[in-house]
Amino acid sequence: MGKKSSQGSSRKGGAGESLLQKQLNPAERAAWILEDAVQGRYFDEKYYPTDPVARKDYLASRQLERIYDRAVIFLFCLAFFEVPSWCDTTDSFAFLHPGARCRVDADPGNDALVYMAGLPHIPPGFSLTMELCVCLVLYAKVSADKKLQTNWFSQYDVNYINRYFNLAGTAALWVILFDVVFFAVDRHHWRLSPFMRVVLMLCMPKLNQLLCALVNMVGEWLSVASFWIGTVVFFAWISVTVFEDVHTKNAEGERVNAGFTSFGEALYTMFVASSTDDFVDKFDPTFTANRGYGLLWLVCLFLSNFLFLNLILAMVFETYSK
């Protein structure tokens, strides 16, 4: 009986240990939540999975994220050294002078007409190979993100990984891969890869967060900017009504209605005066002719430059800080 009870207790203990192994360590789970908070990600604790495999998938995604940033920057810098697609790319592995590859068809004997950056060109064979290898690394990153989102967060309808940016990055990588293969086979004089590199840059996590902040900022910005725009339009209408028929010149020989002869011209003048420090030059002809016009411009500058522009800046700072 004693042996049986000891065997039963050992089986229960083994089952308990195996159950604990399937649960994520509370310290690791807390570290995961803290790491997300540092990166600006805030989710309810109940959405974080307790499976250790989820933590491994997260760490794999984080490790690839650092590589992703460097790889995208490498692709961006590669554009400065690869042979342009409009140049002669028939010799794939020869290091030639840019002037020997890039000639103008209208005057092929005059290399001086082609103004290049002066940087050495990497032969197409090497640049395409490097681009292909980097794209495979980037594809591993977007695949890891998709796996993390699909396996552990989609069931709660939580957008832990931005699906739209992940989809855009995946699509951009497929376009680059097809573009590399197609260009290696048929050396046409156009490529889609440079445009897709811009898409990959916009999908970088840091730029991703910045773009999301800008999108969230648009609505509040428009609510305040509408008052500033209304002020500019209103004072443009007032100024063109007052000065449109004033054709005299002031003591300095300037036309009093300079910048206010039509509504379109007055709108441009008020826009420049209300958004830059060039308001002195814009208002000087009228103010020199009659000091009383300074009251009109005082109210205009107080509303547009002092009040609404500062409100816009404060709103942008507050929204971005969130």
Side-chain angles (χ1 to χ4, degrees):
M1 294 293 293
K3 292 182 179 179
K4 290 182 179 180
S5 61
S6 62
Q7 290 177 357
S9 62
S10 63
R11 290 175 181 175
K12 291 181 180 179
E17 291 178 359
S18 62
L19 181 62
L20 289 175
Q21 290 176 356
K22 294 181 180 179
Q23 297 292 326
L24 189 62
N25 190 315
E28 293 180 337
R29 195 161 183 260
W32 188 351
I33 298 174
L34 179 60
E35 290 167 1
D36 280 351
V38 172
Q39 298 174 38
R41 289 176 177 173
Y42 303 99
F43 297 98
D44 197 308
E45 182 181 352
K46 65 182 180 181
Y47 295 127
Y48 283 88
T50 58
D51 196 318
V53 180
R55 176 65 176 174
K56 293 181 181 179
D57 291 344
Y58 166 76
L59 293 176
S61 175
R62 285 286 296 155
Q63 185 177 5
L64 289 172
E65 183 175 317
R66 303 184 183 93
I67 303 176
Y68 181 92
D69 295 344
R70 296 186 179 94
V72 173
I73 294 175
F74 175 81
L75 280 181
F76 181 78
C77 295
L78 182 64
F80 293 95
F81 296 95
E82 63 184 355
V83 179
S85 57
W86 59 269
C87 297
D88 182 12
T89 57
T90 53
D91 200 338
S92 300
F93 297 98
F95 287 88
L96 303 177
H97 189 272
R101 286 187 181 272
C102 303
R103 296 174 177 270
V104 179
D105 293 337
D107 192 5
N110 191 354
D111 294 340
L113 294 177
V114 182
Y115 295 97
M116 306 300 293
L119 298 174
H121 282 168
I122 301 176
F126 294 111
S127 63
L128 291 175
T129 303
M130 289 187 287
E131 187 174 7
L132 182 61
C133 294
V134 171
C135 286
L136 293 177
V137 175
L138 295 177
Y139 190 78
K141 162 61 179 171
V142 296
S143 299
D145 286 347
K146 184 178 180 180
K147 178 182 178 182
L148 180 63
Q149 172 66 33
T150 304
N151 292 350
W152 308 109
F153 292 97
S154 294
Q155 56 184 332
Y156 303 111
D157 198 22
V158 174
N159 198 19
Y160 186 80
I161 300 295
N162 194 302
R163 303 171 187 175
Y164 300 105
F165 283 102
N166 184 266
L167 181 62
T170 304
L173 286 173
W174 277 110
V175 172
I176 292 177
L177 290 174
F178 281 115
D179 183 67
V180 168
V181 174
F182 188 62
F183 186 77
V185 176
D186 181 19
R187 299 300 173 85
H188 46 275
H189 294 299
W190 56 270
R191 293 194 63 190
L192 296 175
S193 179
F195 302 100
M196 296 300 104
R197 294 174 192 176
V198 177
V199 176
L200 291 176
M201 288 194 67
L202 295 178
C203 294
M204 292 174 64
K206 298 298 182 182
L207 288 178
N208 191 320
Q209 295 177 6
L210 180 60
L211 288 176
C212 292
L214 291 176
V215 171
N216 295 331
M217 191 187 302
V218 170
E220 298 187 23
W221 180 86
L222 288 176
S223 62
V224 179
S226 59
F227 289 97
W228 178 81
I229 295 173
T231 301
V232 172
V233 174
F234 175 75
F235 279 95
W237 173 71
I238 291 293
S239 61
V240 76
T241 303
V242 174
F243 302 112
E244 183 179 11
D245 297 329
V246 179
H247 302 290
T248 59
K249 295 183 179 181
N250 58 18
E252 298 178 356
E254 299 175 319
R255 290 188 300 109
V256 175
N257 64 347
F260 302 103
T261 57
S262 64
F263 179 75
E265 188 176 357
L267 189 63
Y268 171 77
T269 301
M270 297 306 302
F271 174 80
V272 173
S274 301
S275 58
T276 66
D277 59 353
D278 200 26
F279 60 88
V280 176
D281 295 334
K282 299 298 182 182
F283 297 156
D284 182 66
T286 57
F287 183 73
T288 304
N290 190 335
R291 302 297 181 182
Y293 294 140
L295 296 176
L296 176 64
W297 305 137
L298 177 63
V299 177
C300 174
L301 292 176
F302 173 79
L303 292 175
S304 60
N305 292 43
F306 179 75
L307 182 61
F308 292 130
L309 278 184
N310 286 309
L311 281 176
I312 292 174
L313 292 176
M315 181 276 304
V316 170
F317 175 77
E318 181 182 0
T319 306
Y320 183 77
S321 299
K322 293 179 182 179

